[in-house]
Each structure stands twice: as structure tokens, then as C-alpha cells.
Amino acid sequence: DADVTQTPRNRITKTGKRIMLECSQTKGHDRMYWYRQDPGLGLRLIYYSFDVKDINKGEISDGYSVSRQAQAKFSLSLESAIPNQTALYFCATSDPWVANEQFFGPGTRLTVL
Amino acid sequence: GENVEQHPSTLSVQEGDSAVIKCTYSDSASNYFPWYKQELGKRPQLIIDIRSNVGEKKDQRIAVTLNKTAKHFSLHITETQPEDSAVYFCAASQGDYKLSFGAGTTVTVRA
């Protein structure tokens, strides 16, 4: 089945380290998104992309960067991780020509010590 | 930007009873309102959505109502079952991509 996958699923890192989270999809969707989930705050949009090389800031982009080098891959980077970036991170995809639904990956739990 | 408020934050219901979750939004230009369900340890999944040109939509035991004038929308779950226990998120957007989510409602269905 076509799916959205994320690597790693869990990551513990230290303050100041650079870290990259990867998202891959086999759904053939053009649109991809990165969200973070924090208890009591819901899901907040970090960045989104409509196509290869297209990058748009979301609600909380400070401290993050992204790369969309291929239709199927969307990477999220934390250049210098800090403890308040500890969260559950989700990638999502959508194809507006088919339906409005966003399909989420399984999530990456990131802990910054 | 859009601000979505969701109430209640937790909801406990007896199996078979109904559950209602309410959301308000701030941007009158928002025209797309999805609801996502997230089971424990799982990814969020769309359960129902509504556009601003429709006042109500139903899919089996779930329904969503929208009041554009008051800028609020609600999720109704009837005849609740144990598998309805999850966190539910409402969201709003102008268009269907830049979603602003509510903080979530944890629903527990008691047997």
C-alpha cells in the first residue's frame, strides 16, 4: 500500500547538535508538510512544500529548515537543537486534485537533552 | 493568522451515549474544516470534513455542523463505542492545505 514513512522513529540528542528528520512517501503526492505535536497545543505547521524546490514557512518555522530535493522526500533539519524542540514530529502529504485529506506519517519522537 | 479553540479538552462518556466537541475559529475567510482522530500511539487520520458552503455533513455515527455566522463548528458522535476512545482534533483553513489545529479533545468511552 502507498504510505508515508519517517526516519528515525525515535531520537535522543543533545543541545546544540544538528539533526535531520526524513520523510518519504509512495503516494505520489505533490504537497508535503511538517508538523510538531505538543501536549495541550495540538499540531502546529512548521513548513510545507507544493513541489520540488518549493518551500513555504508555516506557523512556527524559527529554528527549523527543510529541503525538498525530490517529489517523494521532504527533510526537516534542526541546525542547533534546543530542549524546547522536544516534541513529536509528523510529516504529511496531500493531493488536492483527488481529495483534501492530509495523510500523516507515523511520527518521530525527538528528545533534546 | 487563524486561531482555533477547541472544547472540552477531555470528555468521558458512557458507551452508547453521544459525544459533542466544539471548535471556534477566528478568520472569517476560512472555508475548510476537517476533523482528525488520533488513537494512542498512532498517526492522526481524517474522519470527516466540511466546507463552508455546507451546514451539516453526516457519515454513519459521526456528523459535523458548521455555523459560519458564529464561526463555530462541532463534531457529534452518536452511540459511542470503545473504539471511539481517542484524541480528536478540529482544524480550519482557507483552502485545504495550511491547516490550523485545535488543541485536541481526549475522548474516553466507559464500558
Side-chain angles (χ1 to χ4, degrees):
Chain A
D1 285 343
D3 201 6
V4 183
T5 57
Q6 294 181 232
T7 56
R9 295 294 312 279
N10 289 281
R11 180 73 183 267
I12 300 174
T13 192
K14 294 183 178 180
T15 297
K17 294 291 188 181
R18 183 179 189 276
I19 184 167
M20 180 180 288
L21 309 184
E22 305 269 11
C23 176
S24 293
Q25 53 114 346
T26 56
K27 288 188 168 292
H29 291 170
D30 287 329
R31 293 184 177 181
M32 298 187 75
Y33 314 81
W34 275 106
Y35 292 91
R36 66 175 278 176
Q37 183 177 17
D38 299 276
L41 293 178
L43 293 143
R44 292 181 291 168
L45 183 63
I46 306 172
Y47 273 97
Y48 61 99
S49 169
F50 283 174
D51 203 348
V52 175
K53 300 299 177 87
D54 175 67
I55 302 295
N56 303 281
K57 291 184 177 180
E59 181 185 350
I60 53 162
S61 58
D62 287 349
Y64 302 94
S65 63
V66 291
S67 174
R68 182 89 185 270
Q69 297 293 337
Q71 188 207 37
K73 297 186 182 298
F74 193 32
S75 302
L76 176 71
S77 294
L78 287 67
E79 296 302 324
S80 179
I82 57 177
N84 76 358
Q85 291 177 314
T86 293
L88 182 58
Y89 289 85
F90 284 102
C91 173
T93 73
S94 71
D95 181 353
W97 300 108
V98 175
N100 304 310
E101 180 175 2
Q102 291 191 15
F103 294 87
F104 285 80
T108 295
R109 186 164 296 281
L110 176 65
T111 302
V112 183
L113 302 177
Chain B
E2 176 64 272
N3 181 47
V4 178
E5 294 190 356
Q6 182 172 347
H7 299 281
S9 58
T10 62
L11 181 60
S12 180
V13 297
Q14 190 71 34
E15 183 177 355
D17 288 350
S18 296
V20 180
I21 304 170
K22 299 182 179 182
C23 290
T24 60
Y25 61 99
S26 61
D27 188 351
S28 57
S30 289
N31 58 8
Y32 176 63
F33 308 93
W35 287 87
Y36 282 80
K37 174 184 180 182
Q38 186 180 26
E39 297 177 357
L40 188 63
K42 304 288 187 179
R43 67 189 79 184
Q45 291 187 301
L46 180 73
I47 55 172
I48 195 167
D49 58 8
I50 192 168
R51 290 204 170 272
S52 58
N53 58 347
V54 176
E56 184 174 356
K57 185 176 179 180
K58 191 173 183 179
D59 183 4
Q60 299 182 343
R61 295 186 298 107
I62 60 173
V64 58
T65 58
L66 171 65
N67 183 327
K68 287 190 298 182
T69 303
K71 290 190 284 188
H72 68 69
F73 56 112
S74 300
L75 178 72
H76 304 253
I77 307 173
T78 59
E79 301 173 14
T80 52
Q81 300 171 4
E83 54 264 37
D84 295 327
S85 294
V87 180
Y88 292 81
F89 294 98
C90 63
S93 71
Q94 184 180 354
D96 54 11
Y97 56 93
K98 201 171 178 180
L99 296 176
S100 295
F101 283 85
T105 297
T106 301
V107 174
T108 303
V109 180
R110 307 186 306 272

